[in-house]
Amino acid sequence: MKRGIHMPTSPKGIINELLVDVFNNILRIEQQHMRQQGVTLSMNEIHVLEAIQKSEDATMSNIARRLHITVGTLTTSINRLVDKGYCERYRTDEDKRKVFIRLTRQGKQVLKIHEKFHDEMIDAVIEDMHLEENAVLIDSLEKLTDYFKNKY
């Protein structure tokens, strides 16, 4: 990336611009790819499906905690996803008070498309940047990830 007239020149400013650009580009490209594959869900809805898939105990409170949102906010998303047929609510015989969420076949299919995008993106990054040889970048990304998890 070449710095133009309005680009910052301090290391802090450059890192900020690069992080924001990478984040925004990934989201934009990811959304375009999903649309090209026929998926009409928003990236937020896809990330809710992903949180359902990754939750061992997929209750509303556990999924909301994983997403760092309130149960009320999650309820709105889940209602839309249930209406669209991507997930469903259910109860178990052990505790009829607890409501669980599970993906439908349609929801699982969307996540396969989403995972394939991520696999292809990471393969391209590894190939183009020769990351298998670049331990410094990998270490830096791990530290960045740890920082955001611990700070926020």
Side-chain angles (χ1 to χ4, degrees), residues 75-136:
T75 298
T76 301
S77 294
I78 293 294
N79 287 343
R80 278 196 311 262
L81 290 166
V82 167
D83 289 345
K84 293 177 182 181
Y86 291 96
C87 64
E88 59 190 13
R89 293 179 174 89
Y90 71 99
R91 297 176 193 270
T92 62
D93 289 334
E94 296 87 47
D95 186 352
K96 298 221 183 265
R97 296 170 299 168
K98 264 188 173 178
V99 177
F100 294 89
I101 309 296
R102 67 178 158 222
L103 299 174
T104 62
R105 192 170 57 83
Q106 187 178 0
K108 290 175 185 175
Q109 185 60 37
V110 165
L111 289 181
K112 283 183 186 175
I113 294 167
H114 185 242
E115 288 169 15
K116 185 175 183 225
F117 167 79
H118 279 268
D119 287 345
E120 290 172 358
M121 177 180 63
I122 297 305
D123 287 345
V125 168
I126 289 171
E127 183 180 322
D128 292 348
M129 297 178 69
H130 309 289
L131 287 184
E132 63 279 354
E133 303 163 8
N134 198 335
V136 173

Side-chain angles (χ1 to χ4, degrees), residues 2 7 13 24 36 39 43 45-46 62-63 65 81 85 88 97-98 102 107-108 111 113 115 144 148 151:
K2 296 179 183 173
M7 288 292 296
N24 288 334
Q36 289 168 350
V39 177
M43 288 313 302
E45 289 172 319
I46 292 169
N62 287 340
I63 296 165
R65 192 175 309 113
L81 290 166
E88 59 190 13
R97 296 170 299 168
K98 264 188 173 178
R102 67 178 158 222
K108 290 175 185 175
L111 289 181
I113 294 167
E115 288 169 15
L144 183 65
F148 282 118
K151 180 77 175 180

